Amino acid sequence: MKPTHLRLRRACAAAAATGVLIAPAAAGSASGASAPERSAPERSAPFSAAAAPTPTPTPTPTASSDADTGFTPLTPAVAAQLDAAVRRVMREAQVPGVTVGLWAPGKGSYLRSFGVADKATGAPMTPDLHVRIGSETKTFTVTALLQLVDQGKVALDDPIGKYVTGVPNGDRITLRELAGMRSGLFNYSLDDAFVKKFEADPQQSFTPQQLLDVAFAHPVLFEPGAEFDYSNTNLILLGLVVEKITGRPLHDVITKDVLGPAGLRSTVFPTSPALPAPYAHGYTDQTASGQVEDSTHWNPSWAWAAGEMVSDVQNLRSWARTLATGTLLKPATQAERLKTTPMDIPGAGYGLGIFDVQGWIGHNGSIPGYEVLPVYLPSAQATMVIVLNTDSQYKGQEPSTLFGEAVTGIVTPDHVYPGHKPVAPKAG
């Protein structure tokens, strides 16, 4: 789960490093849900540093972005351009269905769905469908932790060993380093044996301790705080901290203390593989056979505090702003959250369960069958939400990243997500 890595092997995280720029395609607008377009599925992972394909030109916006905000007004001509770019990414990456939403004060809005939510029936993708949100879950878990910081019940610089025993370097790894992905602990979802076990039976359930046992069987990667390395293990530990301090299950804490105050009535932390209706089916190639399968009802317990939650477009829109502006936290705590350190992507930094990529603040999410990208651009008070029902990569790229770059190349040319500079592949 790198900021696109919960994707089992990359699961639950979101933005892949660098992206392909999408060339213009034949225009064709979609109002609400577009006519069904059948295409192939995909995968899930965070900022994975895969080599990027050769970029093709980004469409030139029909209307130039405003100098004051850097956000292009969403005129009908720009909407048609967005339609064409989204459809092109769908074709190239073989994405079954996607919903793209953009909102900016004084610049208009754009909310359109394309393709299918269910390949078996041809039911169209629509904005009201629930999807698994993978690593976006991390933002809720860390928010719950930071609320406890505000209450004086925990300190960010407490060592994890104060709350959870048996953690390698537990006397020196702080909660801040766990939330900031700088612990050095091995990411359990990158363990080959664990991945094979999951793929052999995606319906099986895992406990947090089982996930930690997988992680702790590996040596630490580096000294606490020395580097950035996206690890789902960090969030499993933080989830346990929240439970220990509150004396309540994590799903109950997040539901009552985060989702309730945030007004997110369509977002849930499930305790079973069930999805609330209506929902989009998810498709992944993270399978034992390597073939694309319907992963809609796979058991997400393996992701728990790092990626188990479910939401919809409008709730993600609201949450993106709440998360970036810190309305659930004290200003000083939000300021700590937004202090970023460099990631493995140029022009990007990671804070406490949150990233800043070319000015866009938020987090992406990826889990077998689904990807989401809800982010907020403070300079324009703009929100972008992208939701799709596959996590299968295209030429080493997360599909959500491809959509993000295509869309921002049109509406925020000075803030293209995730940027254009190529990133060297990471070993291992």
Side-chain angles (χ1 to χ4, degrees):
M1 274 193 203
K2 271 190 171 178
T4 277
H5 220 210
L6 209 164
R7 180 197 194 253
L8 234 353
R9 189 112 7 206
R10 323 157 308 224
C12 245
T18 75
V20 183
L21 305 187
I22 306 304
S29 63
S31 198
S34 66
E37 298 175 6
R38 299 182 182 278
S39 53
E42 290 96 320
R43 252 176 220 150
S44 92
F47 286 95
S48 52
T54 303
T56 53
T58 303
T60 301
T62 303
S64 60
S65 58
D66 286 10
D68 58 339
T69 65
F71 195 96
T72 301
L74 296 168
T75 63
V78 170
Q81 203 170 16
L82 288 167
D83 291 347
V86 170
R87 291 180 187 277
R88 182 170 182 89
V89 175
M90 287 186 72
R91 288 195 301 271
E92 292 183 348
Q94 298 186 325
V95 172
V98 62
T99 296
V100 176
L102 290 164
W103 300 268
K107 304 297 166 44
S109 63
Y110 173 96
L111 178 60
R112 298 187 181 177
S113 292
F114 305 79
V116 297
D118 185 338
K119 297 201 299 183
T121 66
M125 192 74 168
T126 57
D128 62 330
L129 299 178
H130 290 89
V131 296
R132 300 193 189 280
I133 63 173
S135 285
E136 183 69 17
T137 301
K138 292 178 172 69
T139 65
F140 293 96
T141 300
V142 173
T143 296
L145 176 74
L146 295 178
Q147 288 178 322
L148 296 175
V149 171
D150 280 345
Q151 295 166 23
K153 296 179 179 178
V154 65
L156 284 171
D157 294 316
D158 284 347
I160 182 61
K162 180 177 179 179
Y163 305 98
V164 181
T165 61
V167 182
N169 285 340
D171 60 333
R172 295 188 292 129
I173 296 172
T174 66
L175 304 187
R176 184 191 301 276
E177 288 163 343
L178 291 168
M181 299 297 175
R182 303 182 71 84
S183 71
L185 296 173
F186 182 83
N187 184 355
Y188 67 85
S189 63
L190 296 181
D191 178 272
D192 288 336
F194 175 78
V195 173
K196 290 178 182 177
K197 180 179 181 181
F198 174 84
E199 290 179 343
D201 178 14
Q203 300 297 342
Q204 64 188 299
S205 182
F206 293 91
T207 66
Q209 189 57 54
Q210 286 176 313
L211 303 177
L212 294 181
D213 289 345
V214 172
F216 298 165
H218 293 261
V220 296
L221 305 179
F222 49 81
E223 285 296 296
E227 301 178 28
F228 171 87
D229 187 74
Y230 196 89
S231 175
N232 293 320
T233 303
N234 297 337
L235 269 290
I236 302 303
L237 288 167
L238 292 182
L240 292 175
V241 171
V242 171
E243 288 195 332
K244 181 161 187 175
I245 293 175
T246 62
R248 297 152 55 200
L250 180 64
H251 67 268
D252 180 72
V253 176
I254 288 179
T255 300
K256 295 178 180 177
D257 300 352
V258 181
L259 301 181
L264 304 182
R265 298 180 180 178
S266 294
T267 303
V268 298
F269 195 125
T271 55
S272 76
L275 280 163
Y279 58 82
H281 281 248
Y283 302 92
T284 187
D285 60 3
Q286 290 197 84
T287 60
S289 66
Q291 299 301 305
V292 172
E293 295 180 11
D294 186 326
S295 59
T296 307
H297 300 296
W298 285 9
N299 193 328
S301 64
W302 67 274
W304 194 50
E308 191 169 355
M309 291 177 66
V310 174
S311 190
D312 65 11
V313 169
Q314 289 294 351
N315 267 208
L316 290 174
R317 171 194 177 185
S318 177
W319 178 244
R321 182 183 178 92
T322 296
L323 178 66
T325 58
T327 55
L328 297 185
L329 303 174
K330 293 180 179 178
T333 304
Q334 178 69 1
E336 290 298 307
R337 174 172 220 162
L338 294 178
K339 289 180 181 177
T340 63
T341 56
M343 295 192 301
D344 47 1
I345 296 182
Y350 200 86
L352 303 181
I354 197 169
F355 62 54
D356 182 333
V357 178
Q358 303 298 329
W360 290 98
I361 295 175
H363 208 289
N364 54 359
S366 179
I367 195 166
Y370 302 92
E371 289 197 344
V372 301
L373 177 59
V375 287
Y376 182 77
L377 185 65
S379 62
Q381 298 181 47
T383 306
M384 175 174 70
V385 177
I386 297 172
V387 166
L388 53 152
N389 60 347
T390 184
D391 70 314
S392 300
Q393 292 185 345
Y394 174 69
K395 294 185 178 180
Q397 294 288 319
E398 298 299 328
S400 61
T401 299
L402 300 180
F403 285 112
E405 187 154 23
V407 170
T408 56
I410 294 171
V411 298
T412 54
D414 294 329
H415 300 277
V416 177
Y417 176 97
H420 302 285
K421 299 178 182 178
V423 177
K426 226 178 178 181

